[in-house]
Amino acid sequence: MKQTAGRPLKVALLGYGVVGSQVIRLMREQAADLAARIGAPLELAGVAVRRPGRVRSVEVDPSLITTDAEALVTREDVDIVVEVIGGIEPARSLILAAMNSGKSVVTANKALLAEDGATIHAAARDNTVDLYFEAAVAGAIPLIRPMRESLAGDHVHRVLGIVNGTTNYILDKMDSSGASFSEALEEAQALGYAEADPTADVEGFDAAAKAAILAGIAFHSRVTAADVHREGITEITAADVAGAKEMGYVIKLLAICARSEDGRSFGVRVHPAMIPRTHPLAGVREAYNAVFVEAESAGRLMFYGAGAGGAPTASAVLGDIVAVARNRLAGTCGPEESTYADLTVHPMGETVTRYHVSLDVADKPGVLARVAEMFAKQDVSIQTVRQEGLGADAQLVLVTHRASDAALSATIEGLRELDIVRDVVSVMRVEGEDAS
Amino acid sequence: MKQTAGRPLKVALLGYGVVGSQVIRLMREQAADLAARIGAPLELAGVAVRRPGRVRSVEVDPSLITTDAEALVTREDVDIVVEVIGGIEPARSLILAAMNSGKSVVTANKALLAEDGATIHAAARDNTVDLYFEAAVAGAIPLIRPMRESLAGDHVHRVLGIVNGTTNYILDKMDSSGASFSEALEEAQALGYAEADPTADVEGFDAAAKAAILAGIAFHSRVTAADVHREGITEITAADVAGAKEMGYVIKLLAICARSEDGRSFGVRVHPAMIPRTHPLAGVREAYNAVFVEAESAGRLMFYGAGAGGAPTASAVLGDIVAVARNRLAGTCGPEESTYADLTVHPMGETVTRYHVSLDVADKPGVLARVAEMFAKQDVSIQTVRQEGLGADAQLVLVTHRASDAALSATIEGLRELDIVRDVVSVMRVEGEDAS
């Protein structure tokens, strides 16, 4: 069925930053290998930039540079458009223009896919072109393809991932050195792991976009960033980290996509959580990413690697370019968006997990009885209680059995109103205990 | 380009054992999901067995059972043939007959692919049909697809894998409990992790077949099981394991595919090796598998999961069935075998790594000087030496810098001839130290 094609496949690149430069470099350095693997050479048709005068780490023939991205993506000779600009606009308009002109698209744009994936996927389907986006989640780690294709015959129950390298670096530093959040953030910024404005990372926006994409694929349903419950790591203290460590846990920012017990809905959330040090995700250090998938038949799988960076992201982009190029030569397309299951995203209150709660309590008899009563009132069952410190400095540390987020929230509200509770020091979810 | 197809895709199954039964079960239980994902329903066309009367864990309509596998795979209405018999014949003849009749094939047969992959791949190409084999290596772990497709734009330097669950279970037991090899093997047999005749696993044949397949894909070259240097784990002693533990290492049976430094050849080997406990592979416990891939741009990736078992293997087979079915509906094929690079497999003697050597030596002055001289004679540089025990029980434990296998072998031969060396107690390669 394959056409033998000697003619080069022309690639238009949108964006000439860290990732774009590496894509150009790899297309050049590995040209012979790529041609052999595809069955036809790749040719860079043009690079759309906003600021043409800027100095780049990888040079290209200046005649290829253009500021007219719209003209580039609709140019008749272009086969494949690679979008590494990021953000919603103009990326979305350019991708749509490319698809409407019959081009296949490779993108690393998690924000756009999480906000308006439906529009982009529909345009790909309507125009019978490819949309590949391996680089949008967890950088170099092959994850989208395995989840869309290798697990196509399986039933995914849960995805538990460390999908943001910046926050993993910060939490890992806090864990290994006892640093505070702001000290660890400063170090991450000095090393280039965190941006000057770290909001997108430390508040969990980046991870939430990736969680939306993963949940959509895992559960064959449409999910947007707005469906994701999101909490960042800015309020994690050195004391939280040390307390977790003492109990054999480590705090990670997790993206969790989990089916409800009846299988008819699922939840998507990003928040810091305590996981046992024996869990495979606990060993993910520095800025690495890893995604743990629990499927009905396959069991427990984990995918580990570099979640960001120019070269790793470019590797994922190149893999997609090869796939799209092969498909074009064969006159076919890869898998379309799969949303047939159309499951509901349940509200955060219905999420069921365990909780670790630290309370600063008055030094009086009967305190534990009154605290325990408040948990019982909401049907939240306590697994362990332990008193830390003595006298006026005493803290009560409780770990619950599995309870709904709504019940736990109501419990915490009730505790705050008790005169004997001076402060709710921390509330942290406990995850991954059934999978060591 | 896709044809809309209501007609069911018919699947012929060769083999009705543990994996075959699970494939049948999943095709039945997940029929609606599979149909939605493929765009057409799957239908079981028949199951070829050797012994039709046998009781199976999953039942099928008796009219589907046949002992005439040849007739089944060439039947006009069959679209996809799934081979889970294993072994060379009759699997090879049946796969070839199926392909020559225009059927696409999904197989879990590592032995056949490692022995005569060339014939099978050529038949797929000549007949323009698919050959998918995700289940042949590391069971449920998506590995073949990521390596063939996701990494198609990258340059793989090295693959380091735990690809045999039986031996990992045995070595893990020896490490965690101090058991001897035979005690751990017995336990593995009692739990069903090892077969009554454990040769294929403990002598490394199973891992070697997988290593050949992985090396071929990683280096775009043709590799057979005969190219793989193979050593098993039967001679590993409790003392070896304890000694490794003391030094912060763990012994694993590794499949290693590594490019030479000049990139023009590569080595493929399966042998026990010491790896640092900080290496991601060190944490792979029990019968789990994991494969660590080092690529030029992607950096370090790891894929982890269940390497065997009926349901996990069936998950990989089902994923392949979905892919093949989609390809058939689209009138196309997935990626062909890629051997364009045609690199040479270098002999084991050219492999460069580090070595851990334990010697039982005479209790005399000047022993270390004479031992060191023997290493120097072969240009093998020593990193650390340590004496264990005292007097007549003294052992000399040496760790070398990187040296060729040929030089190390010559050194060991020389040491055996020294009168002051009573015994070469153990020689073990040390791997994974540059990747913690």
Coordinates of all heavy atoms in Angstrom, one line a residue, chain A residues 370-435:
Chain A
R370 N -12.3 14.7 71.9 CA -13.1 15.7 71.2 C -12.7 15.7 69.7 O -13.5 15.9 68.8 CB -13.0 17.1 71.8 CG -13.7 17.0 73.2 CD -13.8 18.4 73.8 NE -14.5 19.4 72.9 CZ -14.3 20.7 73.1 NH1 -13.5 21.2 74.0 NH2 -15.0 21.5 72.3
V371 N -11.4 15.6 69.4 CA -10.9 15.5 68.0 C -11.5 14.3 67.3 O -12.0 14.4 66.2 CB -9.4 15.5 68.0 CG1 -8.8 15.2 66.6 CG2 -8.8 16.9 68.4
A372 N -11.4 13.2 68.0 CA -11.8 11.9 67.4 C -13.3 12.0 67.1 O -13.8 11.5 66.1 CB -11.5 10.7 68.4
E373 N -14.1 12.6 68.0 CA -15.5 12.7 67.8 C -15.8 13.5 66.5 O -16.8 13.2 65.8 CB -16.0 13.5 69.0 CG -17.5 13.5 69.2 CD -18.0 14.5 70.3 OE1 -17.0 15.0 71.0 OE2 -19.2 14.6 70.5
M374 N -15.0 14.5 66.3 CA -15.2 15.3 65.1 C -15.0 14.5 63.8 O -15.8 14.6 62.8 CB -14.3 16.6 65.1 CG -14.6 17.6 64.1 SD -16.3 18.3 64.2 CE -16.2 19.3 65.7
F375 N -14.0 13.6 63.8 CA -13.8 12.7 62.7 C -15.0 11.8 62.5 O -15.5 11.5 61.4 CB -12.5 12.0 62.8 CG -11.3 12.7 62.4 CD1 -10.6 13.6 63.3 CD2 -10.7 12.6 61.1 CE1 -9.5 14.3 62.9 CE2 -9.6 13.3 60.7 CZ -9.0 14.2 61.7
A376 N -15.4 11.2 63.7 CA -16.5 10.2 63.7 C -17.8 10.8 63.1 O -18.5 10.2 62.4 CB -16.7 9.7 65.1
K377 N -18.0 12.1 63.5 CA -19.2 12.8 63.0 C -19.4 12.8 61.5 O -20.4 12.8 61.0 CB -19.2 14.2 63.6 CG -20.5 14.9 63.7 CD -20.3 16.2 64.5 CE -21.2 17.3 63.8 NZ -20.9 18.6 64.3
Q378 N -18.2 12.8 60.8 CA -18.2 12.9 59.4 C -18.0 11.5 58.8 O -17.7 11.3 57.6 CB -17.2 13.9 58.8 CG -17.4 15.3 59.3 CD -18.7 15.9 58.7 OE1 -19.2 15.4 57.7 NE2 -19.2 16.9 59.4
D379 N -18.0 10.5 59.7 CA -17.7 9.1 59.2 C -16.3 8.9 58.7 O -16.1 8.0 57.8 CB -18.7 8.7 58.1 CG -19.8 7.8 58.7 OD1 -19.6 7.3 59.8 OD2 -20.9 7.7 58.0
V380 N -15.4 9.7 59.1 CA -14.0 9.5 58.7 C -13.3 8.7 59.8 O -13.2 9.1 60.9 CB -13.3 10.9 58.5 CG1 -11.8 10.6 58.1 CG2 -14.0 11.7 57.5
S381 N -12.9 7.5 59.4 CA -12.3 6.6 60.4 C -10.8 6.8 60.5 O -10.1 7.0 59.5 CB -12.7 5.2 59.9 OG -11.7 4.3 60.3
I382 N -10.3 6.8 61.7 CA -8.9 7.1 62.0 C -8.1 5.9 62.1 O -8.5 4.9 62.7 CB -8.8 7.9 63.3 CG1 -9.5 9.3 63.2 CG2 -7.3 8.1 63.7 CD1 -9.6 10.0 64.5
Q383 N -7.0 5.8 61.3 CA -6.1 4.6 61.4 C -5.1 4.7 62.5 O -4.9 3.8 63.3 CB -5.4 4.4 60.1 CG -4.7 3.1 60.0 CD -3.8 2.9 58.8 OE1 -3.2 3.8 58.4 NE2 -3.8 1.7 58.3
T384 N -4.4 5.9 62.6 CA -3.4 6.0 63.6 C -3.4 7.5 64.2 O -3.8 8.4 63.4 CB -1.9 5.8 63.1 OG1 -1.7 6.8 62.1 CG2 -1.7 4.4 62.5
V385 N -3.1 7.6 65.4 CA -3.0 8.9 66.1 C -1.7 8.9 66.8 O -1.3 7.9 67.4 CB -4.1 9.2 67.1 CG1 -4.0 10.6 67.6 CG2 -5.4 8.9 66.6
R386 N -1.0 10.0 66.8 CA 0.3 10.0 67.5 C 0.5 11.4 68.0 O 0.1 12.4 67.4 CB 1.3 9.6 66.5 CG 2.7 9.8 66.8 CD 3.6 9.1 65.7 NE 4.4 10.2 65.1 CZ 4.3 10.6 63.9 NH1 3.6 10.0 63.0 NH2 5.1 11.6 63.5
Q387 N 1.0 11.5 69.3 CA 1.2 12.9 69.8 C 2.7 13.2 69.6 O 3.6 12.4 69.9 CB 0.9 12.9 71.3 CG 1.1 14.3 71.8 CD 0.6 14.5 73.2 OE1 -0.5 14.0 73.6 NE2 1.3 15.1 74.1
E388 N 3.0 14.3 69.0 CA 4.4 14.7 68.9 C 4.7 15.9 69.8 O 3.9 16.9 69.8 CB 4.7 15.1 67.4 CG 4.8 13.9 66.5 CD 5.3 14.3 65.1 OE1 5.3 15.5 64.8 OE2 5.5 13.3 64.4
G389 N 5.8 15.9 70.4 CA 6.1 17.0 71.3 C 5.4 16.9 72.6 O 4.6 16.0 72.8
L390 N 5.6 17.8 73.5 CA 5.0 17.7 74.9 C 4.4 19.0 75.3 O 4.8 20.1 74.8 CB 6.1 17.3 75.9 CG 6.5 15.8 75.8 CD1 7.8 15.6 76.7 CD2 5.4 14.9 76.3
G391 N 3.5 18.9 76.2 CA 2.9 20.1 76.9 C 2.4 21.1 75.9 O 1.6 20.7 75.0
A392 N 2.8 22.3 76.0 CA 2.2 23.4 75.2 C 2.5 23.3 73.7 O 1.8 23.8 72.8 CB 2.6 24.8 75.7
D393 N 3.6 22.5 73.4 CA 4.0 22.4 72.0 C 3.5 21.1 71.3 O 3.8 20.8 70.2 CB 5.6 22.3 71.9 CG 6.2 23.6 72.3 OD1 5.6 24.6 72.1 OD2 7.3 23.6 72.9
A394 N 2.6 20.4 72.0 CA 2.1 19.1 71.5 C 1.4 19.3 70.2 O 0.6 20.2 70.0 CB 1.2 18.5 72.6
Q395 N 1.7 18.4 69.3 CA 0.9 18.3 68.0 C 0.3 16.9 68.0 O 0.9 15.9 68.4 CB 1.8 18.5 66.8 CG 2.1 20.0 66.6 CD 2.5 20.2 65.1 OE1 2.6 19.3 64.3 NE2 2.7 21.5 64.8
L396 N -0.9 16.9 67.4 CA -1.6 15.6 67.2 C -1.5 15.3 65.7 O -1.9 16.1 64.9 CB -3.1 15.8 67.6 CG -3.8 14.7 68.4 CD1 -3.0 14.1 69.5 CD2 -5.1 15.2 68.8
V397 N -1.0 14.1 65.4 CA -0.8 13.7 64.0 C -1.7 12.5 63.8 O -1.6 11.5 64.4 CB 0.6 13.4 63.7 CG1 0.8 12.9 62.2 CG2 1.5 14.6 63.9
L398 N -2.7 12.7 62.9 CA -3.7 11.6 62.6 C -3.5 11.2 61.1 O -3.3 12.0 60.2 CB -5.1 12.1 62.8 CG -5.4 12.7 64.2 CD1 -5.4 14.2 64.2 CD2 -6.7 12.1 64.7
V399 N -3.7 9.9 60.9 CA -3.8 9.4 59.5 C -5.1 8.6 59.5 O -5.4 7.8 60.3 CB -2.6 8.4 59.2 CG1 -2.8 7.9 57.8 CG2 -1.3 9.1 59.4
T400 N -5.9 9.0 58.4 CA -7.2 8.4 58.3 C -7.2 7.2 57.4 O -6.3 6.9 56.7 CB -8.2 9.4 57.7 OG1 -7.9 9.5 56.3 CG2 -8.1 10.8 58.3
H401 N -8.3 6.4 57.5 CA -8.6 5.4 56.5 C -9.1 6.1 55.3 O -9.2 7.3 55.3 CB -9.6 4.4 57.1 CG -9.0 3.4 58.0 ND1 -8.1 2.4 57.6 CD2 -9.2 3.2 59.3 CE1 -7.7 1.7 58.6 NE2 -8.4 2.1 59.7
R402 N -9.5 5.4 54.3 CA -10.0 6.0 53.1 C -11.3 6.8 53.3 O -12.2 6.2 54.0 CB -10.2 5.0 51.9 CG -8.9 4.5 51.3 CD -9.0 3.3 50.5 NE -9.9 3.4 49.4 CZ -9.6 4.0 48.2 NH1 -8.4 4.5 48.0 NH2 -10.5 4.1 47.3
A403 N -11.4 8.0 52.9 CA -12.6 8.8 53.1 C -12.8 9.7 51.9 O -11.8 10.0 51.2 CB -12.4 9.6 54.4
S404 N -14.0 10.3 51.8 CA -14.2 11.2 50.7 C -13.6 12.5 51.0 O -13.5 12.9 52.2 CB -15.7 11.3 50.3 OG -16.3 12.1 51.3
D405 N -13.2 13.3 50.0 CA -12.7 14.6 50.2 C -13.7 15.5 50.8 O -13.3 16.3 51.7 CB -12.3 15.2 48.8 CG -10.9 15.9 48.9 OD1 -9.9 15.3 49.0 OD2 -11.0 17.2 48.9
A406 N -15.0 15.3 50.5 CA -16.0 16.1 51.1 C -16.1 15.9 52.6 O -16.2 16.9 53.4 CB -17.4 15.8 50.4
A407 N -16.0 14.6 53.0 CA -16.1 14.3 54.4 C -14.9 14.8 55.2 O -15.0 15.4 56.3 CB -16.2 12.8 54.6
L408 N -13.8 14.7 54.5 CA -12.5 15.2 55.2 C -12.6 16.7 55.3 O -12.2 17.3 56.4 CB -11.3 14.7 54.4 CG -10.0 14.8 55.1 CD1 -9.4 16.2 55.1 CD2 -10.0 14.2 56.5
S409 N -13.0 17.4 54.3 CA -13.1 18.9 54.3 C -14.1 19.3 55.4 O -13.8 20.3 56.2 CB -13.6 19.4 53.0 OG -12.7 19.1 52.0
A410 N -15.2 18.6 55.6 CA -16.1 19.0 56.6 C -15.5 18.7 58.0 O -15.7 19.5 58.9 CB -17.4 18.2 56.4
T411 N -14.8 17.7 58.1 CA -14.1 17.4 59.4 C -13.1 18.5 59.7 O -13.1 19.0 60.9 CB -13.3 16.0 59.3 OG1 -14.1 15.0 58.8 CG2 -12.7 15.7 60.6
I412 N -12.3 18.9 58.7 CA -11.3 20.0 59.0 C -12.0 21.3 59.4 O -11.6 22.0 60.3 CB -10.4 20.2 57.7 CG1 -9.7 18.9 57.4 CG2 -9.5 21.4 57.9 CD1 -8.7 18.5 58.4
E413 N -13.1 21.6 58.7 CA -13.9 22.8 59.1 C -14.4 22.7 60.5 O -14.3 23.7 61.3 CB -15.1 22.9 58.2 CG -15.0 24.1 57.2 CD -16.2 24.1 56.2 OE1 -17.3 24.3 56.7 OE2 -15.9 23.8 55.1
G414 N -14.9 21.5 60.9 CA -15.3 21.3 62.3 C -14.2 21.5 63.3 O -14.3 22.1 64.3
L415 N -13.0 20.9 62.9 CA -11.9 21.0 63.8 C -11.4 22.4 64.0 O -11.1 22.8 65.2 CB -10.7 20.2 63.2 CG -10.8 18.7 63.2 CD1 -9.7 18.0 62.4 CD2 -10.8 18.1 64.7
R416 N -11.5 23.2 63.0 CA -11.1 24.6 63.1 C -12.0 25.4 64.1 O -11.6 26.4 64.7 CB -11.2 25.3 61.7 CG -10.1 25.0 60.8 CD -10.1 26.0 59.6 NE -9.5 25.3 58.4 CZ -8.2 25.2 58.2 NH1 -7.3 25.7 59.0 NH2 -7.8 24.6 57.1
E417 N -13.2 24.9 64.3 CA -14.1 25.6 65.2 C -14.0 25.1 66.6 O -14.5 25.8 67.5 CB -15.6 25.4 64.7 CG -15.9 26.3 63.6 CD -17.1 25.9 62.8 OE1 -17.9 25.1 63.3 OE2 -17.2 26.3 61.6
L418 N -13.2 24.1 66.9 CA -13.0 23.6 68.2 C -12.1 24.5 69.0 O -11.0 24.9 68.5 CB -12.5 22.2 68.2 CG -13.4 21.0 67.8 CD1 -12.6 19.7 67.9 CD2 -14.6 21.0 68.7
D419 N -12.5 24.9 70.2 CA -11.6 25.8 71.0 C -10.2 25.1 71.3 O -9.2 25.8 71.5 CB -12.3 26.3 72.2 CG -12.8 25.1 73.1 OD1 -12.8 24.0 72.6 OD2 -13.2 25.4 74.2
I420 N -10.3 23.8 71.4 CA -9.0 23.1 71.8 C -8.1 22.9 70.7 O -6.9 22.5 70.9 CB -9.4 21.7 72.4 CG1 -10.3 20.9 71.4 CG2 -9.9 21.8 73.8 CD1 -10.1 19.5 71.4
V421 N -8.5 23.2 69.4 CA -7.6 23.1 68.3 C -7.1 24.5 68.0 O -7.8 25.4 67.5 CB -8.3 22.6 67.0 CG1 -7.4 22.7 65.8 CG2 -8.7 21.1 67.3
R422 N -5.8 24.7 68.3 CA -5.2 26.1 68.1 C -5.0 26.3 66.6 O -5.1 27.4 66.1 CB -3.9 26.2 68.9 CG -4.3 26.3 70.4 CD -3.1 26.9 71.1 NE -2.0 25.9 71.1 CZ -1.4 25.3 72.2 NH1 -1.8 25.6 73.4 NH2 -0.4 24.5 72.0
D423 N -4.6 25.3 65.9 CA -4.3 25.4 64.4 C -4.3 24.1 63.7 O -3.9 23.1 64.3 CB -2.9 26.0 64.3 CG -2.6 26.5 62.8 OD1 -3.6 26.6 62.1 OD2 -1.4 26.7 62.5
V424 N -4.9 24.1 62.5 CA -4.7 22.9 61.6 C -3.4 23.2 60.9 O -3.3 24.0 60.0 CB -5.9 22.8 60.7 CG1 -5.7 21.6 59.8 CG2 -7.2 22.6 61.5
V425 N -2.4 22.5 61.3 CA -1.0 22.8 60.8 C -0.9 22.3 59.4 O -0.4 23.0 58.5 CB 0.1 22.1 61.7 CG1 1.4 22.4 61.2 CG2 -0.1 22.6 63.1
S426 N -1.3 21.1 59.1 CA -1.3 20.6 57.7 C -2.3 19.5 57.4 O -2.6 18.8 58.3 CB 0.1 20.2 57.3 OG 0.4 18.9 57.7
V427 N -2.7 19.5 56.2 CA -3.6 18.4 55.7 C -3.0 17.9 54.4 O -2.8 18.7 53.5 CB -5.0 18.9 55.5 CG1 -5.9 17.8 55.0 CG2 -5.6 19.6 56.7
M428 N -2.7 16.7 54.4 CA -2.0 16.1 53.2 C -2.6 14.8 52.8 O -2.8 13.9 53.7 CB -0.5 16.0 53.5 CG 0.3 15.5 52.3 SD 1.1 16.8 51.4 CE 1.9 17.7 52.7
R429 N -2.9 14.6 51.5 CA -3.4 13.3 51.1 C -2.3 12.3 51.0 O -1.1 12.6 50.8 CB -4.0 13.5 49.7 CG -5.3 14.3 49.7 CD -5.9 14.5 48.4 NE -7.0 15.6 48.5 CZ -6.7 16.9 48.3 NH1 -5.5 17.3 47.9 NH2 -7.7 17.7 48.4
V430 N -2.6 11.0 51.3 CA -1.7 9.9 51.3 C -2.0 9.0 50.1 O -3.2 8.6 50.0 CB -1.7 9.1 52.6 CG1 -0.7 8.0 52.6 CG2 -1.5 10.1 53.8
E431 N -1.1 8.8 49.2 CA -1.4 8.1 47.9 C -0.4 6.9 47.7 O 0.6 6.9 48.3 CB -1.4 9.0 46.7 CG -2.3 10.2 46.8 CD -3.7 9.9 46.5 OE1 -4.0 8.8 46.0 OE2 -4.6 10.8 46.8
G432 N -0.8 6.0 46.9 CA 0.1 5.0 46.4 C 0.4 3.9 47.4 O 1.4 3.2 47.3
E433 N -0.4 3.8 48.5 CA 0.0 2.8 49.5 C -0.4 1.4 49.1 O 0.2 0.4 49.6 CB -0.7 3.1 50.8 CG -0.1 4.4 51.3 CD -0.3 4.4 52.8 OE1 -1.5 4.4 53.2 OE2 0.7 4.5 53.5
D434 N -1.2 1.2 48.1 CA -1.6 -0.1 47.7 C -0.7 -0.6 46.5 O -0.9 -1.7 46.0 CB -3.1 -0.1 47.2 CG -3.4 1.1 46.3 OD1 -2.5 2.0 46.3 OD2 -4.4 1.1 45.7
A435 N 0.3 0.2 46.2 CA 1.2 -0.2 45.1 C 2.6 0.0 45.4 O 3.2 1.0 45.1 CB 0.8 0.6 43.8

